[in-house]
Amino acid sequence: MERSASVTFRSACPIASGLDVLGDKWSLVVIRDLIVHEQRTYSEFLSAPEGISTNILALRLQQLTDLGLITRVNLNGPHRNNAYRLTDKGAALRPVLEELAKWSQVHLRALHPNILSLD
Amino acid sequence: MERSASVTFRSACPIASGLDVLGDKWSLVVIRDLIVHEQRTYSEFLSAPEGISTNILALRLQQLTDLGLITRVNLNGPHRNNAYRLTDKGAALRPVLEELAKWSQVHLRALHPNILSLD
DNA sequence: CCGCATCCGTTACGATACTG
DNA sequence: CAGTATCGTAACGGATGCGG
């Protein structure tokens, strides 16, 4: 079943509009998991170290699906062991996450000494 | 007066950590204004088309100052017509915003037909 | 006036228990 | 296993007040 994404955009600015869609603490973490792992199940998302709660995860998965950034992959039947993958639209966020990661590694280390260096 | 930034990081992941600091709907909009305009006063921030409310703006300016991403510039006296500028740390976010803007221009146009193309 | 701070209603988030 | 229901808490948002 396909719901349509209902987003209200604050302005015509592409930065603000991007944040209208992705500007929360969890959406890009879900995208990150799918960039790193290609494919994830509900419980695999839950096992990430950040500790997203079940209702928030379900809400984000729904919203990101509605936006066309991720799709559900039915592996073995209707509700068991299904998984999510990125669409091209979602995969196109990779440069955004890469730049954010680079910035954080350099500029958050003082506040967060054991932040990971990827690569 | 310098408060220290109190952020709680969910994990060692640089992406999640970046979102712990900037993952809300307003912080990067404030940064955007300072990238575009170099320097902004409180009321100039308020005049942006997104319509941030006064308490949220004051809170974000405080937090971004505490994090060392922006600084207050005293122009004419202690409280009138003072303004904010980016620090080097804040200015280093430019590539993140550029990639976000590029993504939005391409992938949000269907949902938001009159989104602006910068450049 | 300008730059906030305070108050307060509304909305989003978050932990946990529970269901198909 | 993949979500939903519930309910308490925190963030947001508008109105307004107040000091310099």
Side-chain angles (χ1 to χ4, degrees):
Chain A
M1 183 172 304
E2 276 287 329
R3 253 178 262 183
S4 66
S6 65
V7 197
T8 49
F9 291 102
R10 292 171 286 183
S11 72
C13 169
I15 292 168
S17 301
L19 295 170
D20 287 331
V21 165
L22 300 164
D24 68 274
K25 292 204 180 297
W26 291 109
S27 295
L28 289 178
V29 172
V30 170
I31 303 285
R32 175 208 64 183
D33 277 3
L34 292 176
I35 285 178
V36 173
H37 295 103
E38 306 266 302
Q39 185 169 308
R40 295 252 99 180
T41 65
Y42 191 86
S43 52
E44 287 173 331
F45 282 117
L46 290 178
S47 73
E50 287 80 18
I52 191 170
S53 60
T54 60
N55 53 351
I56 302 294
L57 176 58
L59 186 60
R60 290 287 168 264
L61 290 174
Q62 181 65 60
Q63 292 173 332
L64 293 172
T65 301
D66 294 345
L67 286 163
L69 304 188
I70 67 178
T71 37
R72 189 187 306 225
V73 180
N74 239 336
L75 293 178
N76 309 322
H79 275 284
R80 283 175 77 88
N81 295 332
N82 53 8
Y84 294 84
R85 276 175 172 276
L86 288 174
T87 62
D88 290 346
K89 195 167 164 179
L93 284 165
R94 176 186 281 269
V96 179
L97 294 185
E98 286 175 347
E99 290 299 334
L100 178 62
K102 281 197 271 179
W103 181 86
S104 300
Q105 286 163 25
V106 174
H107 294 99
L108 293 181
R109 192 168 300 279
L111 273 150
H112 190 206
N114 40 358
I115 193 169
L116 285 178
S117 294
L118 312 177
D119 309 6
Chain B
M1 180 173 305
E2 276 287 328
R3 251 178 266 182
S4 65
S6 66
V7 197
T8 49
F9 292 102
R10 292 171 285 183
S11 73
C13 168
I15 292 169
S17 301
L19 295 170
D20 287 332
V21 166
L22 299 164
D24 68 275
K25 292 206 180 294
W26 290 112
S27 295
L28 289 177
V29 172
V30 170
I31 303 285
R32 175 208 62 183
D33 277 4
L34 291 176
I35 285 178
V36 173
H37 295 103
E38 307 268 301
Q39 186 168 308
R40 295 254 98 179
T41 66
Y42 191 86
S43 53
E44 287 173 331
F45 282 117
L46 291 178
S47 72
E50 287 81 17
I52 191 171
S53 59
T54 62
N55 53 352
I56 303 294
L57 176 58
L59 187 59
R60 290 287 168 263
L61 291 173
Q62 183 63 62
Q63 292 173 331
L64 293 173
T65 301
D66 294 346
L67 287 163
L69 303 189
I70 66 177
T71 38
R72 190 186 305 227
V73 180
N74 241 335
L75 293 178
N76 310 321
H79 275 285
R80 281 176 77 89
N81 295 332
N82 52 9
Y84 295 84
R85 275 175 173 278
L86 289 174
T87 62
D88 290 347
K89 195 169 165 179
L93 284 166
R94 177 187 281 270
V96 179
L97 294 185
E98 285 175 347
E99 291 298 335
L100 178 61
K102 281 198 272 180
W103 181 84
S104 299
Q105 286 164 26
V106 174
H107 294 99
L108 292 181
R109 192 168 299 279
L111 272 150
H112 190 206
N114 40 359
I115 193 170
L116 285 178
S117 294
L118 312 177
D119 312 3

